[in-house]
Amino acid sequence: MATISDRITVNPEVCMGQPTIRGMRITVAFVLKLLASGMSHEEILKAYPELEEDDIRQSMEYAAWLAGEYHRPFQAHAK
């Protein structure tokens, strides 16, 4: 299991290796989708009481970190 932050972990045996919140079966992507849908932090915390404010904050930090990464697409050389 890899720890990305003190709250975001990656375990190949949990949620197919997607980054999750504290090893629970709540993915970072799910939290970000809730935020993108317009839910407030308070609404998310009420709907998912196992989450904490720092889980939401670190999900957003993780997304910002990923958005800043540069990935060059692989291109096969033509023969």
Side-chain angles (χ1 to χ4, degrees), residues 7 10 17 19 22 25 35 37 42 44-45 52-53 55 60 63 67-68 71 79:
R7 292 180 175 266
V10 174
R22 295 181 279 125
R25 296 187 181 279
L35 290 166
S37 75
E42 294 78 19
I44 293 170
L45 296 173
E52 299 172 2
E53 181 66 34
D55 298 326
M60 292 186 305
H71 298 280
K79 292 185 179 184

Side-chain angles (χ1 to χ4, degrees), residues 29-75:
F30 180 71
V31 173
L32 295 171
K33 288 174 185 176
L34 294 175
L35 290 166
S37 75
M39 286 181 77
S40 69
H41 290 207
E42 294 78 19
E43 290 170 325
I44 293 170
L45 296 173
K46 185 175 180 180
Y48 300 93
E50 61 270 42
L51 291 176
E52 299 172 2
E53 181 66 34
D54 280 345
D55 298 326
I56 297 171
R57 183 182 52 77
Q58 285 194 19
S59 294
M60 292 186 305
E61 288 174 0
Y62 179 71
W65 174 77
L66 279 180
E69 288 294 298
Y70 177 76
H71 298 280
R72 180 174 295 171
F74 176 77
Q75 294 179 357

Side-chain angles (χ1 to χ4, degrees), residues 11-33:
N11 181 341
E13 296 184 18
V14 177
C15 295
M16 298 185 301
Q18 294 180 62
T20 61
I21 305 298
R22 295 181 279 125
M24 296 185 291
R25 296 187 181 279
I26 298 177
T27 64
V28 170
F30 180 71
V31 173
L32 295 171
K33 288 174 185 176

